[in-house]
Amino acid sequence: MTSADSPQKPLRAKLRGLRTAAFGADPAGERMERIRRSPNFADGVFQNPEGTGAARPSSGSMAGLMKTYFRKEERVLRAPAGTVPVYATTLADIAEPPASGLRLTWMGHSTVLAQIDGRRVLFDPVWGERCSPFDFAGPKRLHPVPFPLRSLGEVDVVVISHDHYDHLDMPTIRALTAAGTVFAVPLGVGAHLEHWGVPQSRIRELDWNETTEVAGISLTATPARHFCGRGLRNQQHTLWASWAVAGPEHRIYHSGDTGYFDGFKDIGAAHGPFDATMIQIGAYSPYWPESHTDTTPLPGAWPDIHMTPAEGLRAHLDLQGQQATGVLLPIHWGTFNLAMHAWAEPAEWTRDVAEEAGQAVAFPCPGQPFEPAGTLPVDPWWRGVSRPIARPWRGPDGARAVVREAREELGLVAER
């Protein structure tokens, strides 16, 4: 049989046909050479700080995960029981400069518009209906976008944390490209943007701890503990990052997706403290089976690449030098069904641990603008559309365990 007669060729051709533009492009040429020179690239892939015990699930754990994921009673808990309230954001809400100089508007999931010192920074914009390369399959929105992208107005810089579909959405990027904005992205992600028509001159591609300036705003790509990829053939050739953003008067931090690691302390020491942090607290994989009575959850399929709410609070305290200062805005929850936990569990768990720590947390519904220096939205709006939540993290000691740990660590720091 000749290679032309190979039965595998039609299958490969079909798979190539399924690779739509939304899959993006692999880094090549000078971009790939720069990646190879990165101190964070070794053995042919980008490396995580402190490594990861499980960046991706094993085939055995994935099989068990999928069995539970598609179980009807589990699926019901992972979605709201009613219509998610969305703030009726108007152009006037975000057109008027914030009195304090800093305003944040959470659009849902990890998308946040930050108005900082007269500039507008848009993090991880996703206006698509599904976080998927296809418009007919993949996780679908649990609530609509607060307002059309065309109503957003001018944006000075779009910041991308990594190239997963729930953070990098091709239709949204193309729409923003037409508006002429600048894009700040981790190393390698520029290949996707160029493939979608973004001019190279408008792409600022950064390795960890590199900084660029746009319209007087400083943007630094800081380390995160995650992974990358938009297809089955995942080469790990695009970097993932958190971001420290500083204006003349204010500093903010966006975690992107990350597992907890000690590097938050270094980021805080170098770039903080922050007026506000946007911290990933949803889509974690640790969970409590019915028979598990301990207040510490069991590790799920990939425990090292997303944070639980308790870890998210700990990260915020690390960024702030172990002080309960600034405002924490929980992100990466409520919009897409991406994990095993109950839909509103991240919000309830965050509310508990933050209250015990005395940490200010903003809980806006999608589209609700607020100023961290002003009155914070704190109403637990999700309860009106949430099914009952077991709250196993409380246990006999409630949420105090993570707070005790942070205070003990602060005491050790003071003794040094």
Side-chain angles (χ1 to χ4, degrees):
M1 180 181 288
T2 67
S3 59
D5 297 325
S6 170
Q8 300 228 354
K9 186 174 181 181
L11 176 60
R12 287 175 180 167
K14 288 178 183 177
L15 290 174
R16 281 197 299 271
L18 287 174
R19 190 175 172 87
T20 63
F23 281 92
D26 295 327
E30 174 53 34
R31 177 175 281 114
M32 193 61 218
E33 288 304 311
R34 186 182 169 200
I35 288 170
R36 291 192 180 101
R37 294 193 299 268
S38 168
N40 305 302
F41 191 81
D43 300 324
V45 296
F46 277 113
Q47 302 290 326
N48 266 309
E50 302 178 16
T52 49
R56 290 187 221 130
S58 66
S59 57
S61 66
M62 182 56 99
L65 177 70
M66 288 297 99
K67 182 178 179 181
T68 307
Y69 187 86
F70 290 109
R71 193 182 300 149
K72 183 177 179 181
E73 58 269 30
E74 300 284 347
R75 291 202 315 269
V76 167
L77 292 174
R78 296 198 305 271
T83 302
V84 175
V86 175
Y87 186 85
T89 317
T90 66
L91 185 58
D93 290 326
I94 55 177
E96 187 71 21
S100 66
L102 177 63
R103 177 190 294 135
L104 301 178
T105 306
W106 179 57
M107 306 295 182
H109 202 58
S110 295
T111 303
V112 182
L113 173 66
Q115 294 168 269
I116 175 171
D117 298 338
R119 297 293 181 259
R120 304 172 103 220
V121 181
L122 184 61
F123 294 95
D124 285 357
V126 174
W127 259 256
E129 278 300 302
R130 295 182 186 272
C131 47
S132 165
F134 309 109
D135 58 8
F136 58 86
K140 193 174 182 180
R141 280 186 169 274
L142 300 175
H143 65 79
V145 291
F147 54 83
L149 188 57
R150 63 180 178 274
S151 300
L152 183 63
E154 292 186 7
V155 174
D156 292 286
V157 57
V158 171
V159 177
I160 303 297
S161 64
H162 63 297
D163 68 358
H164 286 158
Y165 289 97
D166 55 324
H167 297 259
L168 182 62
D169 179 56
M170 182 190 71
T172 304
I173 295 298
R174 283 180 165 172
L176 289 165
T177 302
T181 189
V182 174
F183 295 84
V185 303
L187 187 55
V189 175
H192 299 311
L193 271 59
E194 284 192 49
H195 186 62
W196 299 333
V198 181
Q200 187 178 26
S201 61
R202 287 204 264 127
I203 301 173
R204 310 287 179 87
E205 207 163 346
L206 276 59
D207 202 344
W208 286 343
N209 300 314
E210 290 183 343
T211 300
T212 189
E213 186 173 300
V214 178
I217 299 294
S218 170
L219 305 109
T220 303
T222 46
R225 199 180 189 203
H226 200 55
F227 70 112
C228 64
R230 295 178 72 83
L232 295 176
R233 191 169 61 89
N234 189 350
Q235 297 181 319
Q236 300 297 294
H237 287 174
T238 59
L239 189 58
W240 47 95
S242 56
W243 289 86
V245 177
E249 303 294 335
H250 294 89
R251 295 171 180 265
I252 56 177
Y253 172 84
H254 189 284
S255 71
D257 278 5
T258 180
Y260 178 81
F261 68 114
D262 280 342
F264 291 114
K265 300 167 189 173
D266 297 329
I267 295 170
H271 304 285
F274 299 97
D275 297 281
T277 67
M278 295 155 271
I279 302 288
Q280 171 261 309
I281 53 95
Y284 44 85
S285 65
Y287 65 104
W288 289 273
E290 279 188 32
S291 59
H292 186 67
T293 57
D294 196 318
T295 57
T296 303
L298 296 176
W302 47 88
D304 295 336
I305 60 166
H306 283 144
M307 292 188 291
T308 66
E311 290 170 326
L313 172 67
R314 186 177 177 188
H316 173 89
L317 295 174
D318 285 353
L319 290 162
Q320 302 295 76
Q322 301 304 324
Q323 301 298 313
T325 57
V327 173
L328 191 163
L329 171 62
I331 61 171
H332 204 266
W333 78 282
T335 302
F336 297 107
N337 181 352
L338 301 175
M340 301 303 300
H341 56 67
W343 172 70
E345 183 178 286
E348 289 290 352
W349 192 356
T350 300
R351 199 167 186 267
D352 274 1
V353 292
E355 183 178 343
E356 291 287 350
Q359 173 59 54
V361 180
F363 288 109
C365 62
Q368 183 178 5
F370 72 94
E371 297 188 33
T375 302
L376 300 181
V378 295
D379 180 56
W381 54 266
W382 57 87
R383 290 180 180 172
V385 291
S386 172
R387 292 177 173 84
I389 296 175
R391 297 178 177 83
W393 59 87
R394 288 184 176 177
D397 287 334
R400 289 184 285 277
V402 69
V403 180
R404 277 202 306 271
E405 186 175 352
R407 287 174 178 163
E408 287 166 3
E409 188 168 322
L410 179 58
L412 289 173
V413 170
E415 290 171 7
R416 292 185 187 134

